[in-house]
Protein backbone atom coordinates (compact mmCIF):
# COMPACT_ATOMS: atom_id res chain seq x y z
CA UNK A 1 0.00 0.00 0.00
CA UNK A 2 1.38 3.45 -0.87
CA UNK A 3 1.76 5.83 2.04
CA UNK A 4 -0.26 9.03 2.08
CA UNK A 5 1.80 12.22 1.71
CA UNK A 6 2.84 14.04 4.88
CA UNK A 7 0.81 17.06 3.77
CA UNK A 8 -1.81 17.13 1.07
CA UNK A 9 -3.65 20.30 0.13
CA UNK A 10 -6.21 20.41 -2.67
CA UNK A 11 -7.81 23.62 -4.00
CA UNK A 12 -7.50 25.16 -0.54
CA UNK A 13 -9.29 28.45 -0.06
CA UNK A 14 -9.49 30.91 2.76
CA UNK A 15 -11.51 34.10 2.69
CA UNK A 16 -11.36 36.38 5.71
CA UNK A 17 -14.18 38.79 6.42
CA UNK A 18 -12.89 42.09 7.69
CA UNK A 19 -13.78 45.72 8.15
CA UNK A 20 -17.16 47.38 8.76
CA UNK A 21 -19.78 44.66 9.50
CA UNK A 22 -17.15 42.20 8.25
CA UNK A 23 -18.13 43.25 4.73
CA UNK A 24 -14.62 43.30 3.23
CA UNK A 25 -13.49 39.98 1.76
CA UNK A 26 -9.81 39.12 1.83
CA UNK A 27 -8.95 36.11 -0.24
CA UNK A 28 -5.86 34.86 1.59
CA UNK A 29 -5.72 31.50 -0.25
CA UNK A 30 -7.22 31.17 -3.72
CA UNK A 31 -7.26 27.44 -4.39
CA UNK A 32 -3.83 26.18 -3.40
CA UNK A 33 -2.86 22.57 -4.19
CA UNK A 34 0.28 21.03 -2.75
CA UNK A 35 1.67 17.61 -1.85
CA UNK A 36 4.60 17.13 0.50
CA UNK A 37 6.18 13.70 0.61
CA UNK A 38 7.18 12.07 3.87
CA UNK A 39 10.83 12.19 4.92
CA UNK A 40 11.57 15.45 3.07
CA UNK A 41 12.41 19.00 4.13
CA UNK A 42 10.02 21.44 2.49
CA UNK A 43 10.23 25.24 2.45
CA UNK A 44 7.31 27.60 2.07
CA UNK A 45 8.26 30.99 0.64
CA UNK A 46 6.36 34.10 -0.24
CA UNK A 47 6.36 37.85 0.19
CA UNK A 48 4.52 39.49 3.06
CA UNK A 49 0.79 38.88 2.93
CA UNK A 50 1.11 35.93 0.52
CA UNK A 51 -0.92 33.61 2.77
CA UNK A 52 1.85 31.50 4.34
CA UNK A 53 0.70 31.92 7.94
CA UNK A 54 -2.89 31.27 6.90
CA UNK A 55 -1.84 28.00 5.26
CA UNK A 56 0.11 26.91 8.35
CA UNK A 57 -2.76 27.85 10.66
CA UNK A 58 -5.20 25.83 8.57
CA UNK A 59 -2.84 22.83 8.63
CA UNK A 60 -2.53 23.13 12.41
CA UNK A 61 -6.31 23.39 12.81
CA UNK A 62 -6.09 26.94 14.24
CA UNK A 63 -7.95 28.60 11.34
CA UNK A 64 -10.88 27.10 9.41
CA UNK A 65 -10.62 26.76 5.65
CA UNK A 66 -13.31 28.28 3.43
CA UNK A 67 -13.02 25.64 0.71
CA UNK A 68 -11.01 22.76 -0.66
CA UNK A 69 -9.36 20.08 1.44
CA UNK A 70 -6.22 19.59 3.49
CA UNK A 71 -4.84 16.56 5.27
CA UNK A 72 -1.84 15.74 7.43
CA UNK A 73 -0.41 12.23 7.31
CA UNK A 74 -3.56 10.99 5.61
CA UNK A 75 -5.98 12.50 8.12
CA UNK A 76 -8.11 15.60 7.57
CA UNK A 77 -6.76 18.72 9.29
CA UNK A 78 -8.21 19.24 12.74
CA UNK A 79 -8.35 15.48 13.37
CA UNK A 80 -7.05 14.84 16.92
CA UNK A 81 -5.02 11.76 16.11
CA UNK A 82 -3.44 13.46 13.12
CA UNK A 83 -2.57 16.51 15.19
CA UNK A 84 -0.75 14.33 17.72
CA UNK A 85 1.69 13.38 14.98
CA UNK A 86 2.67 16.99 14.43
CA UNK A 87 5.26 19.02 16.34
CA UNK A 88 5.15 22.81 16.05
CA UNK A 89 7.78 25.46 16.69
CA UNK A 90 6.02 28.82 16.48
CA UNK A 91 7.68 31.99 15.33
CA UNK A 92 9.15 34.19 18.11
CA UNK A 93 8.54 31.55 20.74
CA UNK A 94 10.02 32.57 24.07
CA UNK A 95 10.89 30.15 26.84
CA UNK A 96 10.43 31.88 30.21
CA UNK A 97 13.91 32.82 31.44
CA UNK A 98 13.61 31.25 34.89
CA UNK A 99 13.41 27.75 33.37
CA UNK A 100 16.31 25.40 32.92
CA UNK A 101 16.27 23.25 29.77
CA UNK A 102 14.93 20.34 31.85
CA UNK A 103 12.12 22.29 33.54
CA UNK A 104 11.19 23.98 30.24
CA UNK A 105 10.70 20.58 28.63
CA UNK A 106 8.69 19.43 31.67
CA UNK A 107 6.52 22.52 31.43
CA UNK A 108 5.80 22.29 27.70
CA UNK A 109 5.49 18.50 27.77
CA UNK A 110 2.92 18.61 30.56
CA UNK A 111 0.96 21.29 28.69
CA UNK A 112 0.49 18.74 25.92
CA UNK A 113 -0.77 16.23 28.48
CA UNK A 114 2.27 13.96 28.68
CA UNK A 115 2.89 12.23 32.01
CA UNK A 116 5.88 13.77 33.83
CA UNK A 117 7.58 10.37 34.10
CA UNK A 118 7.58 10.00 30.31
CA UNK A 119 8.83 13.55 29.86
CA UNK A 120 11.76 12.96 32.21
CA UNK A 121 12.59 9.68 30.54
CA UNK A 122 12.64 11.29 27.12
CA UNK A 123 14.47 14.53 28.05
CA UNK A 124 18.14 13.32 27.86
CA UNK A 125 17.56 11.77 24.42
CA UNK A 126 15.88 14.94 23.16
CA UNK A 127 18.65 17.19 24.46
CA UNK A 128 21.13 14.93 22.73
CA UNK A 129 19.13 15.07 19.47
CA UNK A 130 19.30 18.86 19.41
CA UNK A 131 22.94 19.07 20.52
CA UNK A 132 22.26 20.22 24.08
CA UNK A 133 23.63 17.26 26.03
CA UNK A 134 24.88 18.45 29.42
CA UNK A 135 22.83 21.67 29.33
CA UNK A 136 19.72 20.28 31.07
CA UNK A 137 20.31 22.04 34.39
CA UNK A 138 21.46 25.35 32.90
CA UNK A 139 19.05 28.30 33.09
CA UNK A 140 17.64 29.19 29.69
CA UNK A 141 18.71 32.83 30.22
CA UNK A 142 22.30 31.67 29.67
CA UNK A 143 21.43 30.12 26.29
CA UNK A 144 22.30 31.79 22.98
CA UNK A 145 19.43 32.43 20.56
CA UNK A 146 20.47 29.37 18.56
CA UNK A 147 20.43 27.17 21.68
CA UNK A 148 17.00 28.52 22.62
CA UNK A 149 15.69 27.64 19.16
CA UNK A 150 17.13 24.13 19.45
CA UNK A 151 15.48 23.78 22.86
CA UNK A 152 12.25 24.93 21.20
CA UNK A 153 12.77 22.20 18.66
CA UNK A 154 13.26 19.66 21.47
CA UNK A 155 9.92 20.83 22.87
CA UNK A 156 8.28 20.28 19.48
CA UNK A 157 9.81 16.79 19.34
CA UNK A 158 8.74 15.73 22.85
CA UNK A 159 5.87 13.49 21.69
CA UNK A 160 7.98 12.05 18.85
CA UNK A 161 5.91 13.54 16.01
CA UNK A 162 6.31 12.36 12.42
CA UNK A 163 5.87 15.84 11.00
CA UNK A 164 7.51 19.05 12.22
CA UNK A 165 6.14 22.48 11.33
CA UNK A 166 8.75 25.17 11.95
CA UNK A 167 7.92 28.86 11.65
CA UNK A 168 11.08 30.93 11.11
CA UNK A 169 13.28 28.47 13.05
CA UNK A 170 16.53 30.39 12.51
CA UNK A 171 15.25 33.96 12.64
CA UNK A 172 17.71 36.02 14.71
CA UNK A 173 20.14 33.12 15.01
CA UNK A 174 23.81 33.77 14.11
CA UNK A 175 25.56 31.80 11.30
CA UNK A 176 27.10 29.26 13.70
CA UNK A 177 23.74 28.70 15.36
CA UNK A 178 22.09 28.31 11.95
CA UNK A 179 24.64 25.71 10.90
CA UNK A 180 23.95 23.83 14.16
CA UNK A 181 20.22 23.97 13.49
CA UNK A 182 20.75 22.70 9.94
CA UNK A 183 22.74 19.75 11.24
CA UNK A 184 19.97 18.92 13.72
CA UNK A 185 17.29 19.14 11.03
CA UNK A 186 19.31 16.95 8.65
CA UNK A 187 19.63 14.42 11.47
CA UNK A 188 15.86 14.44 11.98
CA UNK A 189 15.30 14.00 8.26
CA UNK A 190 17.62 10.98 8.24
CA UNK A 191 15.40 9.50 10.98
CA UNK A 192 12.51 9.79 8.53
CA UNK A 193 10.80 12.90 9.89
CA UNK A 194 9.11 15.32 7.53
CA UNK A 195 10.01 18.95 8.13
CA UNK A 196 7.96 21.89 6.89
CA UNK A 197 9.69 25.25 7.21
CA UNK A 198 8.27 28.71 6.77
CA UNK A 199 11.12 31.19 6.50
CA UNK A 200 12.16 34.50 5.04
CA UNK A 201 15.80 33.42 5.09
CA UNK A 202 16.13 32.20 1.53
CA UNK A 203 19.80 31.23 1.89
CA UNK A 204 18.84 28.91 4.73
CA UNK A 205 15.99 27.41 2.74
CA UNK A 206 18.33 26.88 -0.21
CA UNK A 207 20.84 25.06 1.98
CA UNK A 208 18.45 22.74 3.72
CA UNK A 209 15.25 22.17 1.76
CA UNK A 210 14.65 19.46 -0.82
CA UNK A 211 11.68 21.22 -2.35
CA UNK A 212 10.11 24.64 -2.03
CA UNK A 213 6.82 26.29 -2.87
CA UNK A 214 6.43 29.97 -3.66
CA UNK A 215 3.13 31.52 -2.70
CA UNK A 216 2.18 34.96 -4.04
CA UNK A 217 -1.12 36.69 -3.23
CA UNK A 218 -2.77 33.45 -2.18
CA UNK A 219 -1.73 31.51 -5.28
CA UNK A 220 0.97 28.92 -5.71
CA UNK A 221 3.37 30.36 -8.26
CA UNK A 222 5.99 27.62 -8.26
CA UNK A 223 6.70 24.32 -6.57
CA UNK A 224 9.67 22.07 -7.14
CA UNK A 225 13.15 20.93 -6.31
CA UNK A 226 15.40 23.76 -5.16
CA UNK A 227 17.92 22.89 -7.88
CA UNK A 228 15.25 23.13 -10.60
CA UNK A 229 14.09 26.52 -9.38
CA UNK A 230 17.61 27.89 -9.21
CA UNK A 231 18.45 26.68 -12.70
CA UNK A 232 15.67 28.92 -14.01
CA UNK A 233 16.00 30.19 -17.57
CA UNK A 234 19.54 31.41 -17.04
CA UNK A 235 22.27 29.81 -19.11
CA UNK A 236 25.21 32.02 -18.28
CA UNK A 237 28.74 30.74 -18.22
CA UNK A 238 31.01 32.59 -15.85
CA UNK A 239 34.71 32.82 -16.76
CA UNK A 240 37.50 34.40 -14.77
CA UNK A 241 40.22 35.66 -17.08
CA UNK A 242 43.67 37.27 -17.00
CA UNK A 243 44.59 39.47 -19.94
CA UNK A 244 44.14 42.98 -21.25
CA UNK A 245 40.56 44.15 -21.43
CA UNK A 246 40.76 45.06 -25.11
CA UNK A 247 42.25 41.67 -26.08
CA UNK A 248 39.57 39.82 -24.08
CA UNK A 249 36.78 41.85 -25.66
CA UNK A 250 38.17 41.27 -29.14
CA UNK A 251 38.48 37.52 -28.51
CA UNK A 252 34.90 37.36 -27.24
CA UNK A 253 33.68 39.11 -30.40
CA UNK A 254 29.90 39.52 -30.45
CA UNK A 255 29.14 36.88 -27.84
CA UNK A 256 26.50 38.26 -25.42
CA UNK A 257 28.15 39.58 -22.25
CA UNK A 258 25.64 39.46 -19.39
CA UNK A 259 28.04 40.87 -16.81
CA UNK A 260 31.59 42.25 -16.80
CA UNK A 261 33.41 42.68 -13.48
CA UNK A 262 36.96 44.00 -13.08
CA UNK A 263 38.57 42.15 -10.18
CA UNK A 264 41.81 42.55 -8.30
CA UNK A 265 45.17 41.52 -9.78
CA UNK A 266 44.20 42.27 -13.38
CA UNK A 267 41.48 39.61 -13.49
CA UNK A 268 38.07 39.97 -15.11
CA UNK A 269 34.99 37.93 -14.31
CA UNK A 270 32.69 37.74 -17.29
CA UNK A 271 29.25 36.17 -17.53
CA UNK A 272 28.46 35.06 -21.06
CA UNK A 273 25.15 33.92 -22.49
CA UNK A 274 26.25 30.59 -23.94
CA UNK A 275 23.57 27.91 -24.06
CA UNK A 276 25.36 24.90 -25.50
CA UNK A 277 28.65 23.19 -24.79
CA UNK A 278 30.05 23.60 -28.36
CA UNK A 279 29.64 27.39 -27.94
CA UNK A 280 31.57 27.21 -24.67
CA UNK A 281 34.35 25.12 -26.26
CA UNK A 282 34.66 27.54 -29.16
CA UNK A 283 34.82 30.51 -26.82
CA UNK A 284 37.58 28.85 -24.76
CA UNK A 285 39.55 28.18 -27.98
CA UNK A 286 39.25 31.84 -29.08
CA UNK A 287 40.34 33.15 -25.69
CA UNK A 288 43.33 30.81 -25.50
CA UNK A 289 44.38 31.65 -29.05
CA UNK A 290 44.36 35.33 -28.08
CA UNK A 291 46.73 34.50 -25.20
CA UNK A 292 44.12 35.06 -22.48
CA UNK A 293 44.54 32.89 -19.37
CA UNK A 294 41.40 31.17 -18.07
CA UNK A 295 41.55 31.06 -14.28
CA UNK A 296 38.05 29.69 -13.74
CA UNK A 297 35.02 28.57 -15.70
CA UNK A 298 31.62 27.39 -14.55
CA UNK A 299 27.93 27.59 -15.25
CA UNK A 300 26.21 30.25 -13.21
CA UNK A 301 23.02 29.27 -11.39
CA UNK A 302 20.56 31.64 -9.84
CA UNK A 303 20.56 31.75 -6.08
CA UNK A 304 17.17 30.92 -4.61
CA UNK A 305 16.85 34.59 -3.74
CA UNK A 306 17.35 35.61 -7.39
CA UNK A 307 14.88 32.97 -8.55
CA UNK A 308 12.39 34.12 -5.93
CA UNK A 309 12.70 37.76 -6.92
CA UNK A 310 12.24 36.89 -10.58
CA UNK A 311 9.08 34.92 -9.81
CA UNK A 312 7.51 37.66 -7.71
CA UNK A 313 8.86 40.53 -9.84
CA UNK A 314 5.78 40.75 -12.08
CA UNK A 315 3.60 41.13 -9.02
CA UNK A 316 3.29 44.82 -8.12
CA UNK A 317 1.89 44.09 -4.68
CA UNK A 318 4.81 41.85 -3.79
CA UNK A 319 7.75 43.08 -1.81
CA UNK A 320 11.03 41.20 -1.44
CA UNK A 321 11.21 38.97 1.61
CA UNK A 322 12.06 40.75 4.81
CA UNK A 323 12.73 39.58 8.31
CA UNK A 324 9.42 40.95 9.51
CA UNK A 325 7.06 38.70 11.39
CA UNK A 326 4.47 36.32 10.00
P1 LIG B 1 3.73 37.65 6.36
O1 LIG B 1 4.95 37.05 5.73
O2 LIG B 1 3.70 39.13 6.26
O3 LIG B 1 3.46 37.15 7.73
P2 LIG B 1 1.83 35.77 5.20
O4 LIG B 1 2.31 35.26 3.89
O5 LIG B 1 2.00 34.91 6.39
O6 LIG B 1 2.45 37.21 5.44
P3 LIG B 1 -0.97 35.90 5.95
O7 LIG B 1 -0.66 36.39 7.33
O8 LIG B 1 -1.45 34.50 5.81
O9 LIG B 1 0.28 36.14 4.98
O10 LIG B 1 -2.05 36.90 5.32
C1 LIG B 1 -2.60 36.74 4.03
C2 LIG B 1 -3.66 37.82 3.83
O11 LIG B 1 -4.74 37.58 4.71
C3 LIG B 1 -3.16 39.23 4.12
O12 LIG B 1 -3.80 40.11 3.21
C4 LIG B 1 -3.64 39.48 5.52
O13 LIG B 1 -3.86 40.86 5.75
C5 LIG B 1 -4.96 38.72 5.56
N1 LIG B 1 -5.30 38.22 6.91
C6 LIG B 1 -4.55 37.36 7.65
N2 LIG B 1 -5.19 37.08 8.81
C7 LIG B 1 -6.36 37.78 8.79
C8 LIG B 1 -7.46 37.92 9.70
N3 LIG B 1 -7.50 37.25 10.86
N4 LIG B 1 -8.47 38.73 9.34
C9 LIG B 1 -8.47 39.39 8.16
N5 LIG B 1 -7.46 39.30 7.26
C10 LIG B 1 -6.42 38.51 7.57
Amino acid sequence: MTQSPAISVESLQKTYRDGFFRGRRIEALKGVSLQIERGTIFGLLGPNGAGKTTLIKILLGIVRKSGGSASLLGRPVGDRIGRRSVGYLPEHHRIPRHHTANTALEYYGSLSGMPIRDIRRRTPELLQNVGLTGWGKTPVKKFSKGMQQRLGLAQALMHDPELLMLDEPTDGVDPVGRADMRAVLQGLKSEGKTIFINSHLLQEIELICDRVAILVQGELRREGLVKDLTQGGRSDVEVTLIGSESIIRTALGDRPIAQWTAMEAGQYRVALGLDHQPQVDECVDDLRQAGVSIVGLGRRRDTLEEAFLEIVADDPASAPPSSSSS
Side-chain angles (χ1 to χ4, degrees):
M1 202 178 81
T2 51
Q3 258 192 334
S4 54
I7 296 177
S8 177
V9 163
E10 202 55 55
S11 308
L12 192 65
Q13 293 175 21
K14 176 65 193 177
T15 305
Y16 291 107
R17 297 263 177 193
D18 198 20
F20 194 56
F21 290 130
R22 297 165 57 81
R24 191 161 70 101
R25 289 162 56 89
I26 298 162
E27 286 186 86
L29 296 175
K30 302 171 187 167
V32 171
S33 300
L34 192 61
Q35 301 257 316
I36 299 175
E37 293 310 318
R38 296 186 190 219
T40 59
I41 305 185
F42 191 93
L44 180 64
L45 313 175
N48 295 129
K52 306 180 296 293
T53 306
T54 300
L55 176 57
I56 291 175
K57 284 184 176 169
I58 291 175
L59 292 174
L60 290 168
I62 299 168
V63 160
R64 252 206 250 167
K65 61 187 165 62
S66 311
S69 63
S71 62
L72 296 181
L73 305 158
R75 292 179 173 272
V77 287
D79 175 276
R80 270 193 27 224
I81 297 173
R83 211 181 312 169
R84 254 187 252 144
S85 310
V86 181
Y88 176 46
L89 176 64
E91 190 186 12
H92 300 316
H93 88 110
R94 289 277 173 276
I95 297 165
R97 289 166 58 80
H98 63 273
H99 276 301
T100 64
N102 286 341
T103 63
L105 290 178
E106 279 174 21
Y107 173 68
Y108 288 107
S110 51
L111 280 185
S112 68
M114 241 174 116
I116 198 86
R117 230 176 335 124
D118 294 353
I119 297 172
R120 287 187 180 150
R121 192 169 348 105
R122 198 153 151 67
T123 292
E125 183 194 337
L126 279 175
L127 290 179
Q128 187 188 8
N129 270 358
V130 299
L132 291 175
T133 303
W135 290 89
K137 292 183 180 158
T138 307
V140 168
K141 63 180 170 221
K142 296 201 172 156
F143 281 18
S144 68
K145 182 80 205 273
M147 291 165 78
Q148 289 184 32
Q149 286 299 88
R150 280 184 280 135
L151 183 58
L153 192 58
Q155 164 272 124
L157 286 164
M158 177 57 83
H159 56 298
D160 197 21
E162 280 179 60
L163 169 62
L164 274 168
M165 310 269 289
L166 311 178
D167 205 349
E168 302 286 358
T170 52
D171 194 21
V173 177
D174 68 24
V176 175
R178 278 189 235 153
D180 290 342
M181 180 64 108
R182 279 202 300 277
V184 171
L185 296 181
Q186 290 291 7
L188 293 169
K189 179 188 159 181
S190 66
E191 286 172 23
K193 309 255 184 237
T194 310
I195 303 169
F196 180 97
I197 304 177
N198 175 30
S199 176
H200 283 104
L201 297 173
L202 300 187
Q203 284 167 334
E204 283 302 300
I205 293 280
E206 184 165 9
L207 285 171
I208 196 154
C209 289
D210 302 303
R211 298 181 78 90
V212 294
I214 297 179
L215 202 61
V216 181
Q217 292 198 324
E219 289 172 4
L220 198 68
R221 282 292 161 85
R222 200 68 79 78
E223 192 279 327
L225 292 168
V226 171
K227 72 174 172 55
D228 291 344
L229 256 75
T230 52
Q231 248 146 16
R234 195 186 292 271
S235 54
D236 289 353
V237 167
E238 199 168 75
V239 278
T240 307
L241 307 168
I242 298 179
S244 91
E245 179 172 351
S246 61
I247 291 175
I248 294 172
R249 285 195 186 271
T250 307
L252 291 175
D254 55 5
R255 292 179 177 93
I257 297 174
Q259 203 174 5
W260 179 282
T261 315
M263 319 252 295
E264 283 173 10
Q267 296 190 4
Y268 296 95
R269 186 183 294 147
V270 187
L272 298 162
L274 303 175
D275 291 330
H276 305 294
Q277 192 55 40
Q279 295 175 308
V280 179
D281 294 341
E282 206 182 315
C283 179
V284 168
D285 291 345
D286 288 350
L287 286 165
R288 290 297 301 128
Q289 258 180 20
V292 176
S293 293
I294 300 173
V295 183
L297 186 148
R299 223 166 244 293
R300 185 183 181 281
R301 291 159 69 107
D302 277 351
T303 62
L304 185 60
E305 184 152 352
E306 285 169 327
F308 176 90
L309 290 173
E310 251 169 60
I311 291 164
V312 302
D314 55 337
D315 211 313
S318 300
S322 67
S323 54
S324 71
S325 62
S326 281

